[in-house]
Amino acid sequence: MKRRGDQMLEKLCKEFTNLSSKDIHQLISVREQTQLMANLMNADVFIDCMTRESGVAIVVAEAKPATHKSMYKDTVVGEFAFRHNEPAAIRTLELGMPTRDLRAITQEDQIVKQNVVPIKNEHGVTIGCLIVETDVYEKENENARMQILSETTEQLTETLMDSMNEKILIQPYLNDGIVIFDRHGMSQSLNPVAAQLYRKLGYLDELVGIPFDNLVLDGSRFEDVIKMTSMKVSEVDISHLTLKVKYAGMKFSNSDLAGMVMVIKDITDEKAIEKELISKSVAIREIHHRVKNNLQTIASLLRLQSRRIENEEAKRAFEESISRVISIAVTHEILAQNGVDDVDIKTILERIIMNAMSMPSDSCQVDLYITGDTFKISSDLATSIALVVNELVQNSMQYAFVGRKEGNIEVKILQGIQYSSILVQDNGVGFNIENAREGSLGMKIVKSIITDKLKGCYSLESNGEGTKVSFDFKMKADLTS
């Protein structure tokens, strides 16, 4: 009895394509492996066939990964694929050649990256194509290790796709070692990469016809692995190599081939890079920690000096300088804790507000709070924003509530695409903007940082109901100047 997916594939092929019953039956055999492929590669997998209309294909089968978020909300089986949206699929269907890493627009208007391999019948005629889709933005932002893993996507796809015709195993461009075992655990075939890996490990015998127990690298038992419904992945250190090993069962209803595929990836270099990145992360964390300590030492020295000063105006100047130093130290303290060069903007501003509240003030009770969005910013942005917000909050606390017993200060964060903005507003007494001290050091610092460092703009409003200061900053500003 045919499964529902097989029935749908057969129905669509008969209605929209010129494929024979034998070709359709072969596509059904391939469809049985698509879920395994999707799980192995954490990607959406599709089978497309060319329709009777030139340049238009139709999706006849799909599989979504079981342990990874799919790119699709709904099924697209039965939907059409057009050349202007999916050039990779149409190219492979027309030329019968694999197509790698081309962008496409899905039926749900998402931009993805496609790897496509042809499905050919016994006469070498292309009857469909197998498509592996990944998130183009996610892939472009992955680290080096994940990029290496994604390179295997179409390689593994081609291997599984052509496992009924094992010619693919001798292709030189495969970067992964592949060994196929029959249902009894005897090796049936392997590609040159696998042979070379085993030679490095000291194997001298012929590797075809060897039992699984003699080739296994991670201590797995064939009886256990062959029974698993999902793939097994493990890492193992052997000699001077670090290898990633994957196992997955293979079953074809129309073929004698049934057993297991073992994929071996040499990740020795990737592990070395990973260790180097960890070392650099530790070094960066230590640098931020030392900068934070040095800044706190400077603040402590300024405090000691300020205690010897009796002039109130000079003492206030010292307190403002101490506050500025601490606002920079806050950024480096958080970066030292995280060990990365990005920091959450709300975390930084919360620490700035805590610092402002700890500073000596008059009898007025001031409540400070943060609202709005939260997102990651670079350390350069964080330091500049911390200085500006610290200056604005200190100004409000010093001048906004003269003669009052209580007040509020709000810091509001609004995330944008190219520019984001921050609003600092109080419900204080306000002031006449025209009579404001243009030459004050604090406002000079604010305007200079916003213009030169943050590449943004500054606006000021004030009346009897309070003062609002807002500024924006470029999310990827050039902070080298």
Side-chain angles (χ1 to χ4, degrees), residues 30-45:
V30 175
R31 193 200 73 81
E32 293 175 357
Q33 297 302 310
T34 54
Q35 188 59 59
L36 169 63
M37 298 176 196
N39 293 343
L40 279 170
M41 294 175 285
N42 288 331
D44 292 290
V45 177

Side-chain angles (χ1 to χ4, degrees), residues 53-71:
E53 183 179 350
S54 176
V56 180
I58 187 169
V59 184
V60 298
E62 68 180 1
K64 299 179 180 180
T67 58
H68 193 273
K69 185 178 179 181
S70 170
M71 292 286 294

Side-chain angles (χ1 to χ4, degrees), residues 75-141:
T75 180
V76 293
V77 173
E79 298 286 340
F80 294 104
F82 301 94
R83 189 188 303 275
H84 60 276
N85 284 339
E86 300 187 46
I90 302 301
R91 174 186 181 274
T92 294
L93 286 169
E94 289 180 338
L95 302 180
M97 298 174 60
T99 307
R100 302 184 178 106
D101 280 343
L102 275 189
R103 292 195 181 199
I105 301 175
T106 71
Q107 287 81 357
E108 296 180 355
D109 294 324
Q110 299 293 317
I111 299 178
V112 296
K113 188 159 285 190
Q114 291 185 334
N115 287 301
V116 190
V117 290
I119 304 171
K120 298 184 178 182
N121 61 17
E122 59 185 2
H123 303 295
V125 177
T126 300
I127 59 175
C129 67
L130 188 72
I131 304 171
V132 176
E133 290 186 355
T134 52
D135 185 341
V136 63
Y137 299 113
E138 180 181 337
K139 183 171 181 179
E140 289 175 353
N141 288 306

Side-chain angles (χ1 to χ4, degrees), residues 413-453:
I413 309 167
L414 297 173
Q415 183 179 14
I417 298 175
Q418 286 187 309
Y419 285 85
S420 294
S421 62
I422 294 178
L423 170 68
V424 180
Q425 59 183 355
D426 61 59
N427 62 348
V429 297
F431 64 95
N432 188 331
I433 297 176
E434 295 180 358
N435 295 332
R437 294 184 301 152
E438 288 292 331
S440 70
L441 177 61
M443 294 314 297
K444 280 185 176 180
I445 291 174
V446 167
K447 291 179 180 178
S448 174
I449 293 175
I450 292 172
T451 303
D452 299 336
K453 292 292 185 181

Side-chain angles (χ1 to χ4, degrees), residues 343-393:
V343 65
D344 182 83
I345 188 170
K346 243 181 188 177
T347 302
I348 288 289
L349 297 186
E350 284 171 354
R351 297 292 295 273
I352 294 298
I353 285 179
M354 288 174 60
N355 175 57
M357 294 180 71
S358 67
M359 297 294 288
S361 63
D362 298 331
S363 58
C364 180
Q365 173 64 41
V366 179
D367 293 326
L368 295 95
Y369 53 97
I370 300 177
T371 61
D373 304 319
T374 182
F375 48 91
K376 299 283 187 179
I377 54 175
S378 68
S379 59
D380 288 326
L381 276 176
T383 301
S384 299
I385 290 171
L387 278 169
V388 172
V389 172
N390 176 74
E391 206 68 41
L392 296 175
V393 169

Side-chain angles (χ1 to χ4, degrees), residues 392 421-424 450 457-460 468-472:
L392 296 175
S421 62
I422 294 178
L423 170 68
V424 180
I450 292 172
C457 298
Y458 163 91
S459 68
L460 171 64
K468 294 181 180 180
V469 182
S470 66
F471 65 95
D472 57 10

Side-chain angles (χ1 to χ4, degrees), residues 32-230:
E32 293 175 357
Q33 297 302 310
T34 54
Q35 188 59 59
L36 169 63
M37 298 176 196
N39 293 343
L40 279 170
M41 294 175 285
N42 288 331
D44 292 290
V45 177
F46 304 91
I47 296 176
D48 282 17
C49 295
M50 190 67 80
T51 66
R52 297 185 183 94
E53 183 179 350
S54 176
V56 180
I58 187 169
V59 184
V60 298
E62 68 180 1
K64 299 179 180 180
T67 58
H68 193 273
K69 185 178 179 181
S70 170
M71 292 286 294
Y72 291 80
K73 295 179 181 178
D74 302 308
T75 180
V76 293
V77 173
E79 298 286 340
F80 294 104
F82 301 94
R83 189 188 303 275
H84 60 276
N85 284 339
E86 300 187 46
I90 302 301
R91 174 186 181 274
T92 294
L93 286 169
E94 289 180 338
L95 302 180
M97 298 174 60
T99 307
R100 302 184 178 106
D101 280 343
L102 275 189
R103 292 195 181 199
I105 301 175
T106 71
Q107 287 81 357
E108 296 180 355
D109 294 324
Q110 299 293 317
I111 299 178
V112 296
K113 188 159 285 190
Q114 291 185 334
N115 287 301
V116 190
V117 290
I119 304 171
K120 298 184 178 182
N121 61 17
E122 59 185 2
H123 303 295
V125 177
T126 300
I127 59 175
C129 67
L130 188 72
I131 304 171
V132 176
E133 290 186 355
T134 52
D135 185 341
V136 63
Y137 299 113
E138 180 181 337
K139 183 171 181 179
E140 289 175 353
N141 288 306
E142 284 174 337
N143 59 30
R145 182 178 61 177
M146 294 306 295
Q147 287 176 357
I148 293 295
L149 181 59
S150 67
E151 288 174 6
T152 340
T153 295
E154 107 268 5
Q155 299 163 4
L156 182 55
T157 302
E158 291 182 46
T159 301
L160 293 174
M161 182 61 257
D162 285 299
S163 56
M164 288 177 291
N165 180 359
E166 296 171 14
K167 293 179 181 179
I168 191 70
L169 292 174
I170 63 173
Q171 295 300 319
Y173 58 79
L174 284 172
N175 294 328
D176 294 342
I178 297 176
V179 184
I180 290 182
F181 297 90
D182 64 18
R183 63 171 62 89
H184 305 295
M186 300 297 292
S187 61
Q188 298 298 298
S189 53
L190 70 162
N191 68 345
V193 177
Q196 186 178 15
L197 279 172
Y198 279 103
R199 298 300 178 217
K200 286 183 180 179
L201 297 175
Y203 282 71
L204 302 176
D205 297 327
E206 174 61 42
L207 298 174
V208 174
I210 290 182
F212 176 84
D213 290 345
N214 286 351
L215 294 176
V216 64
L217 300 172
D218 61 354
S220 297
R221 293 182 353 127
F222 184 80
E223 305 83 48
D224 298 331
V225 177
I226 199 69
K227 293 177 183 177
M228 293 191 308
T229 57
S230 60

